[in-house]
Amino acid sequence: MVVMRNILLLVHRLPFPPNKGDKVRSYHLLKHLAKNNRVFLGTFVDDPADEIHRSTVQEFCADMHAAKLTPFRQKALSMLALLTGTALSLRYYQDSGLHGWVQRVVAKNKMDAVVIFSSAMGQYAHAGSRVPLLVDFVDVDSAKWSQYASNHRWPMSWLYAREGRQLLAYERKLAARATRSFFVTENEAQLFREMAPECANRVASISNGVDSDFFSPDPGRVSPLHHGQVSVVFTGAMDYWPNIDAVTWFVNDMLPQLRVRCPALCFYIVGRSPTSAVSSLAASDVVVTGTVDDVRPYLQFATLVVAPLRLARGIQNKILEAMSMARPVVASSACVQVIHASPGQEVMAAETAEEFVNQIDLLLRSPELATQIGLAGRDRVVQDYSWAAHLGKIDPYLTPNTSQVPDLPA
């Protein structure tokens, strides 16, 4: 007999539609928890286009509060954190309405566990409760900000370095009070163990997954790509700085060399919210699509897919999805290292611009090898990247055991 538990789930962005990395993971987490539990979801809507999806998310929930968040306004307000010595990320996601909802729903419904997705949502965990607190950090965000600092000039380098320090202090405080903290790869988990050694014995990894039935080739699809072109495709949210850096690097340092070797080559940048820097890359051999209804046709009909990410953290869904679509993928070595795939057989790895050019050229000159790698990549995803298998790791920690559970943070 299945016992229905009450789960308070706090997510920093409405977990639908699953059209970017964090929303893919949070959506499947919500689905997984909702199978055998009553989920009370507190979240934010930070994109007006997502308003129409409230009802879809509500179907998974016993109750839901989705606060509106205006990115420009919140960025301005987050600067107030400079006066208080706290992380800007925490101030960015501060909302009195969500705080009030959490207090009311916890008072009315006895929670059996609290699950936090993204560290900034830890500020909404109900103080004083003695139930399991499970935190899906996904990545070590503080390390990401510190990495940004080394790639920017002052004053942004100072601001990013400050955010890295302040956020790490908060991450450590949150993890110290959590029953379990999870990260998307064992590499990220080990990094956090080193940065927060006091929490090392309560840190684990839960890998990303792929719905390989959804992301699969379909002979009935129509190609959105121009006929006669050799198409190289990149997918991702195009207001995310690591993605912006990746496509800019490709266009400036790789595309000219590739065009000499293959004049018919065209680079497709497929993803929502392209910044002005991304839009300015558009040219006769570069297509910037903006938001698309379905990314799968772009993947299915791509000659190959690239992920030249220099600032990547954790497992990249874009790589797993392209592999699931049986396309050959050339990705940064750091991205390949954290997935269970054999370089040169199931995916291609590259580090420098020259290595990317050579690997892409090899696949373009060897269609049979490209096909072989694409098919082998899909087999690897089907075998190792089921969402159900990975997310099931959280289930043993959802049952209260007050003798081992610390107070939750305020």
Side-chain angles (χ1 to χ4, degrees):
M1 175 176 156
V2 177
V3 178
M4 295 290 285
R5 293 165 292 206
N6 288 341
I7 308 294
L8 176 62
L9 175 61
L10 301 166
V11 182
H12 72 301
R13 183 177 289 119
L14 189 77
F16 198 87
N19 57 3
K20 57 187 302 184
D22 66 281
K23 294 177 74 170
V24 171
R25 185 174 172 95
S26 61
Y27 168 66
H28 284 282
L29 176 61
L30 170 62
K31 281 181 60 178
H32 178 80
L33 293 174
K35 284 181 181 178
N36 298 311
N37 305 288
R38 299 176 71 236
V39 176
F40 298 80
L41 174 66
T43 188
F44 288 96
V45 177
D46 63 355
D47 184 346
D50 287 351
E51 287 287 348
I52 62 173
H53 301 297
R54 284 176 178 261
S55 59
T56 300
V57 176
Q58 179 68 69
E59 292 177 4
F60 293 101
C61 305
D63 194 3
M64 180 182 86
H65 181 88
K68 288 186 178 181
L69 184 152
T70 305
F72 178 80
R73 177 177 179 273
Q74 293 305 117
K75 286 179 181 178
L77 290 175
S78 68
M79 299 306 289
L80 295 173
L82 296 175
L83 304 176
T84 61
T86 58
L88 276 68
S89 302
L90 299 180
R91 185 64 183 83
Y92 184 91
Y93 286 105
Q94 226 172 69
D95 181 80
S96 59
L98 182 53
H99 272 293
W101 176 82
V102 170
Q103 292 175 352
R104 291 191 300 273
V105 79
V106 169
K108 184 178 179 180
N109 304 274
K110 179 182 179 298
M111 294 298 162
D112 297 295
V114 177
V115 180
I116 294 170
F117 186 92
S118 182
S119 60
M121 299 304 288
Q123 62 189 301
Y124 295 99
H126 185 61
S129 297
R130 296 184 63 83
V131 299
L133 171 64
L134 307 174
V135 183
D136 187 357
F137 285 93
V138 188
D139 300 321
V140 185
D141 282 339
S142 57
K144 175 187 69 177
W145 289 112
S146 297
Q147 189 177 21
Y148 285 2
S150 64
N151 286 274
H152 285 77
R153 296 178 180 178
W154 192 90
M156 297 309 297
S157 59
W158 172 84
L159 189 66
Y160 290 151
R162 177 195 181 278
E163 183 68 2
R165 292 191 303 271
Q166 298 296 340
L167 192 56
L168 175 60
Y170 180 77
E171 288 170 342
R172 294 179 68 171
K173 177 182 176 183
L174 182 59
R177 295 174 179 265
T179 310
R180 257 321 187 260
S181 296
F182 300 102
F183 293 85
V184 71
T185 67
E186 183 54 33
N187 286 353
E188 288 291 290
Q190 182 56 32
L191 174 62
F192 191 73
R193 292 186 191 106
E194 295 169 0
M195 298 173 76
E198 69 279 8
C199 310
N201 65 338
R202 287 179 283 118
V203 172
S205 61
I206 293 180
S207 177
N208 275 351
V210 174
D211 185 340
S212 58
D213 291 330
F214 183 79
F215 284 97
S216 61
D218 181 352
R221 288 197 184 102
V222 177
S223 174
L225 309 179
H226 296 152
H227 180 70
Q229 289 180 333
V230 175
S231 52
V232 175
V233 171
F234 177 95
T235 63
M238 295 318 306
D239 56 354
Y240 182 49
W241 190 59
N243 289 343
I244 298 170
D245 176 75
V247 297
T248 303
W249 186 36
F250 186 89
V251 170
N252 291 338
D253 292 16
M254 303 173 211
L255 186 58
Q257 299 180 60
L258 289 167
R259 287 276 293 177
V260 170
R261 305 185 190 193
C262 181
L265 189 146
C266 185
F267 182 45
Y268 282 80
I269 302 172
V270 183
R272 62 193 287 271
S273 305
T275 64
S276 58
V278 174
S279 297
S280 68
L281 298 175
S284 60
D285 55 355
V286 179
V287 176
V288 180
T289 69
T291 301
V292 298
D293 293 333
D294 190 346
V295 73
R296 292 174 297 175
Y298 289 89
L299 293 174
Q300 178 170 328
F301 293 99
T303 306
L304 57 88
V305 176
V306 293
L309 292 153
R310 294 189 286 190
L311 298 165
R313 304 205 66 81
I315 290 179
Q316 299 295 311
N317 288 82
K318 60 171 63 69
I319 295 175
L320 296 181
E321 290 166 359
M323 291 171 65
S324 187
M325 293 294 295
R327 301 320 302 142
V329 179
V330 184
S332 299
S333 298
C335 297
V336 174
Q337 289 170 2
V338 296
I339 60 177
H340 301 145
S342 300
Q345 299 178 25
E346 298 162 336
V347 64
M348 304 294 279
E351 188 72 28
T352 65
E354 182 180 3
E355 289 176 359
F356 268 98
V357 169
N358 290 336
Q359 296 282 42
I360 292 169
D361 183 58
L362 173 62
L363 294 176
L364 295 181
R365 293 176 181 274
S366 309
E368 292 182 359
L369 174 63
T371 298
Q372 178 182 334
I373 288 176
L375 293 174
R378 174 167 170 79
D379 288 344
R380 174 58 59 196
V381 168
V382 171
Q383 179 178 330
D384 287 348
Y385 287 96
S386 158
W387 275 113
H390 292 305
L391 291 174
K393 294 179 181 179
I394 202 172
D395 294 343
Y397 304 104
L398 295 173
T399 301
N401 183 343
T402 55
S403 65
Q404 299 179 5
V405 178
D407 287 342
L408 304 192

